[in-house]
Amino acid sequence: MGLLDGKKVLIFGIANDRSIAYGIARQMKEQGAELGISYAGGSSIERRVKPIAEELGASFLEECDLSDDSAIEALALKAEKKYGSLDCIVHSVAFAPHECLAGRYADTARADFLTAMNISVYTLVAVANKFERLLSPEGSVITMTYYGAEKVVPNYNVMGVAKAALEATVRYLAVDMGKKSVRVNAISAGPIKTVSAAGVSGFRSMLPVYSERAPLGRNVDINDCGGCAAFLASDLSKNITGEVIHVDAGYNIMGF
Ligand code: NAP
């Protein structure tokens, strides 16, 4: 018996087999979930995501640019037609222009700030809003965040500010959606080599520092995020909401 037997999960944010969302999808599948996948778009992405969807036996594969409200509404209608209701939504999506992930935060251009907030924060609000009616009571919404929301991480810059807003969004959504017994939580992952992470200047140098300083003396991977997400999607976490759970081998507890 799996933790997620009978649960229907829609996952946003699989770009390839290194994506955190892929690790989440795999762990959830292993726990018995039925998976639907939505990807950002473009034919090259479709070519990469299609085999992954087949591997995971996904019952739903649809493109959706989360910066477009009408596309999200259209996706919600398709998902409703397919599933009737959903038990979990995974939002593993972020973007900021490469040029603001290096150097001084003070130099962030207004347009880049707005892009980062739009894609990395507002998309969670929009998804929660448009999919609320589909989420079953005791449903679960999960997003991905990073420690740069809490402390200054060189070069993370506007993304750190966006993650702080995302974590606050998790708390506000948890109150709104709690009225339907739907839970909203974030997983704060340690650094993992993915396409998005590679966009942060100096990312590679973070990995050995994390494994050296974390209490568990190692780095985390996409399967670790998947394990936590499977727990957050399951009934085992039924009274956990509005939380940010660190999956970082304990790195965040260290002061020195
Ligand atoms: P990733 O594989 O590049 O995933 C990011 C996903 O966001 C991609 O699938 C991307 O799609 C999607 N996306 C961007 N703009 C979108 C839009 N307008 N509509 C729909 N989807 C869009 O990188 P990742 O590291 O797994 O990132 C997943 C999440 O984990 C992000 O929130 C990230 O900030 C967070 N996180 C990552 C780390 C890390 O070290 N890797 C640590 C903590 C938290 P396309 O590629 O098709 O544009």
Side-chain angles (χ1 to χ4, degrees):
M1 257 188 37
L3 272 182
L4 303 179
D5 282 346
K7 294 212 188 276
K8 292 166 281 184
V9 182
L10 181 59
I11 301 190
F12 295 93
I14 299 180
N16 55 44
D17 61 7
R18 280 179 292 146
S19 295
I20 290 174
Y22 172 69
I24 291 175
R26 236 177 27 191
Q27 295 281 354
M28 287 188 167
K29 173 78 184 168
E30 244 181 72
Q31 292 299 328
E34 177 176 356
L35 303 179
I37 292 172
S38 176
Y39 60 97
S43 55
S44 65
I45 300 291
E46 189 180 348
R47 251 182 281 127
R48 260 183 279 143
V49 178
K50 236 181 180 164
I52 289 176
E54 278 163 20
E55 174 208 324
L56 296 167
S59 48
F60 182 86
L61 178 66
E62 291 289 339
E63 178 179 341
C64 182
D65 175 357
L66 291 179
S67 66
D68 178 349
D69 285 332
S70 58
I72 303 173
E73 182 60 50
L75 182 76
L77 285 171
K78 282 183 193 164
E80 190 167 22
K81 213 165 158 196
K82 171 74 186 168
Y83 294 119
S85 65
L86 287 168
D87 301 292
C88 177
I89 289 178
V90 176
H91 171 277
S92 185
V93 168
F95 177 76
H98 183 60
E99 51 276 20
C100 46
L101 299 175
R104 283 158 38 95
Y105 172 65
D107 294 336
T108 309
R110 186 186 300 269
D112 292 346
F113 181 92
L114 293 176
T115 298
M117 294 300 258
N118 184 20
I119 305 302
S120 312
V121 187
Y122 189 75
T123 54
L124 179 64
V125 182
V127 165
N129 179 277
K130 304 281 187 219
F131 280 82
E132 193 171 6
R133 65 174 194 275
L134 270 80
L135 279 163
S136 55
E138 308 303 333
S140 173
V141 177
I142 301 165
T143 189
M144 292 304 307
T145 186
Y146 174 61
Y147 188 55
E150 302 168 54
K151 301 285 180 196
V152 173
V153 174
N155 300 319
Y156 201 60
N157 296 355
V158 71
M159 195 51 90
V161 174
K163 291 300 190 192
L166 182 74
E167 292 180 9
T169 290
V170 163
R171 293 185 281 274
Y172 278 88
L173 286 177
V175 172
D176 290 344
M177 303 190 79
K179 300 193 169 61
K180 260 189 71 183
S181 287
V182 170
R183 300 176 294 109
V184 185
N185 291 289
I187 296 170
S188 184
I192 301 171
K193 209 170 147 213
T194 63
V195 173
S196 290
V200 181
S201 183
F203 171 80
R204 271 163 181 250
S205 64
M206 290 168 76
L207 294 171
V209 174
Y210 263 73
S211 58
E212 187 194 324
R213 296 187 189 170
L216 293 176
R218 59 193 180 216
N219 284 113
V220 302
D221 65 22
I222 60 173
N223 296 315
D224 300 321
C225 298
C228 184
F231 164 70
L232 285 174
S234 80
D235 298 338
L236 290 181
S237 59
K238 76 183 176 67
N239 278 320
I240 298 177
T241 195
E243 292 289 349
V244 175
I245 300 183
H246 293 85
V247 175
D248 65 351
Y251 179 90
N252 76 95
I253 68 167
M254 299 305 292
F256 183 69

